[in-house]
Amino acid sequence: MSRAKRATVGELESVYRAQFNAFLRTGTAYLDDVDAARDAVQDGVATAIRKRASYRGEGTLEAWLWSIVLNAIRDRHRERAHAQMLAADAVDAFAAVTEGEPMDDVRDAVRRLPERQRLVLFLRFYADMDYGTIAALLGISEGTVGASLNAARTTLRGLLQEVGA
Amino acid sequence: MSERTMLMRLVEEAETVEPDWQDALRRAGFAARHRPRLAARRVLVLAVVLVGVLYAVAAIAADEPGWRIRYWLFDRSPETYPTTQAATVGAWSRAERVDGLVSTDEGYVPNVVTLPVLHGEVVGRRFEVKAFFREWAFGQDHLCIGFEPGGTPKPWHGTNVPAVGGSSCGAPMHGLRPQGESDLHWVGATVHVPGPIEPTGGGTGPKYLFGPAAPNVRHVDLESRDGTVVRVATFAGPPDLGVRVRLWVAVLRLDHLVHTIVPRDDEGEALEHWHLPSAY
């Protein structure tokens, strides 16, 4: 990964294209909705383009863009959670429609994980990040990353055993 | 089913979505086009404008010498030549011109089979001079002086062709035919400029003044209105012409105008002050 003192639009485009699938997989898993994930990723990248002058070369451009996109995804999640609280009936209807599909158990199992564990899990599996990168991105130690990932996998396995997936 | 497989199946829809950079740019408030393309378009527009300006300048410069870039940017003004000049010359020779006749581009075949040629140098510039008599109308022969700057005639001049870079015949001069002229001089004078001449009279130059001189003329003074005098020494003409004549060659800046020619004898006495009807 190369270091750059200032991010140009062209450099951002390169990182965007290289990381787009990882962005979208993480967003889709986090938001449970590919359209919402795409919207959040695009908004996050747009924010990065506008604020590119604030990138000072401290850390890689990839990590800088990831932090912005991840914030956009989390913001979108909060917005959706708030909206779902206001429209609980709609959520119930959605649950009713999707009930019984094989992957729903897995989805529910993942959804029940604490947020940190989910993020660590997603960044590890969907973005193929190492512990150090995840730690820097989330502002936690590498030990915490390892512990969170281990806990998430243990919990996930237990939950999946419970639901028989 | 492994953990990885399960997790990847959760997001398999995401694999079908393609990145859309233009959409990200639009959301960021950028124009629809990528910035580099915008920059390329600006460069193209600038290039078109630049070509237009250069075309206009070139068009103006074609008529206005003051616009000539070489005068703006480079000191290409003609060099100044010494005010005292004496040609260093070799011997007259007919050997160079005896190989036959060559037609000119216009198809003229010279009626002079051999003619004497002399190579020389003045202020570092080589030249070639020819001197011969040519039959003129009414049975009179005129002395012709041919002059070639650089010392190498153009190919089409041929071996025996008296046509040269500059030439003149029949100068009304004391001691030479044609006799009977009412206004005889002690020298003849011809100007030759091998390079281009600007409309203002400027140019790369230099210009050459040359001509015959009567046998008693040892120097020729070329006087300008500003008091500048260029003195050149004469040298002997071909010994076998059948007439005694001397020649002179001077090199001047193109903008150095000569208004009066003063031939002087070996005592330095002025034989005449020939005020030229138009400056050379």
Side-chain angles (χ1 to χ4, degrees), chain A residues 13 16 42-43 126 157 160, chain B residues 3 6-7 20 27 34:
Chain A
E13 181 182 0
Y16 165 80
Q42 293 296 99
D43 277 349
Y126 294 142
R157 276 196 294 270
L160 292 174
Chain B
E3 285 175 29
M6 282 192 305
L7 288 171
D20 187 348
R27 291 173 188 238
H34 194 295

Side-chain angles (χ1 to χ4, degrees), chain B residues 162-240:
Chain B
V164 287
S167 67
S168 66
C169 296
M173 220 173 70
H174 291 287
L176 285 176
R177 288 164 289 186
Q179 299 288 355
E181 288 277 349
S182 59
D183 188 16
L184 294 178
H185 299 283
W186 294 93
V187 292
T190 301
V191 63
H192 175 62
V193 180
I197 303 174
E198 307 289 356
T200 55
T204 54
K207 69 179 174 185
Y208 295 84
L209 267 64
F210 64 92
N216 58 331
V217 176
R218 287 294 183 270
H219 292 96
V220 179
D221 286 351
L222 307 171
E223 297 181 358
S224 301
R225 287 229 172 98
D226 63 359
T228 305
V229 178
V230 175
R231 170 166 291 189
V232 299
T234 61
F235 54 89
D240 54 354

Side-chain angles (χ1 to χ4, degrees), chain B residues 126-138:
Chain B
R126 296 172 57 228
F127 63 86
E128 181 193 87
V129 175
K130 305 173 190 70
F132 56 93
F133 277 103
R134 182 177 177 183
E135 186 179 352
W136 214 253
F138 309 113

Side-chain angles (χ1 to χ4, degrees), chain B residues 7-8 31 46 50 59 70 87 91 99 101 117 137 191 202 209 214 231 252:
Chain B
L7 288 171
M8 293 308 289
L46 279 175
L50 187 62
R70 72 163 179 255
D99 292 336
L101 305 178
V117 177
V191 63
L209 267 64
R231 170 166 291 189
L252 303 175

Side-chain angles (χ1 to χ4, degrees), chain A residues 6-131:
Chain A
R6 291 292 177 95
T8 66
V9 173
E11 290 169 341
L12 280 172
E13 181 182 0
S14 297
V15 176
Y16 165 80
R17 292 188 183 282
Q19 298 293 323
F20 179 78
N21 285 342
F23 287 156
L24 200 61
R25 283 196 292 262
T26 304
T28 301
Y30 198 86
L31 297 171
D32 205 12
D33 181 343
V34 68
D35 292 330
R38 180 189 178 281
D39 203 40
V41 168
Q42 293 296 99
D43 277 349
V45 173
T47 301
I49 293 170
R50 283 194 301 270
K51 295 183 175 179
R52 65 189 183 283
S54 65
Y55 173 67
R56 301 295 182 189
E58 297 166 353
T60 65
L61 187 59
E62 289 88 339
W64 183 76
L65 187 57
W66 260 105
S67 69
I68 294 174
V69 170
L70 205 55
N71 279 337
I73 292 170
R74 295 167 81 176
D75 287 346
R76 186 59 50 93
H77 182 260
R78 280 190 286 272
E79 290 168 10
R80 282 163 56 89
H82 182 65
Q84 284 172 353
M85 283 175 60
L86 296 175
D89 292 343
V91 175
D92 291 343
F94 175 78
V97 169
T98 58
E99 191 175 4
E101 292 181 9
M103 289 306 294
D104 287 347
D105 294 336
V106 178
R107 188 171 286 109
D108 285 343
V110 171
R111 194 181 293 159
R112 287 180 208 171
L113 292 172
E115 186 190 17
R116 178 184 291 172
Q117 291 183 21
R118 289 165 61 204
L119 280 174
V120 170
L121 187 71
F122 295 161
L123 293 173
R124 178 66 181 153
F125 277 92
Y126 294 142
D128 202 25
M129 289 183 184
D130 57 30
Y131 286 15

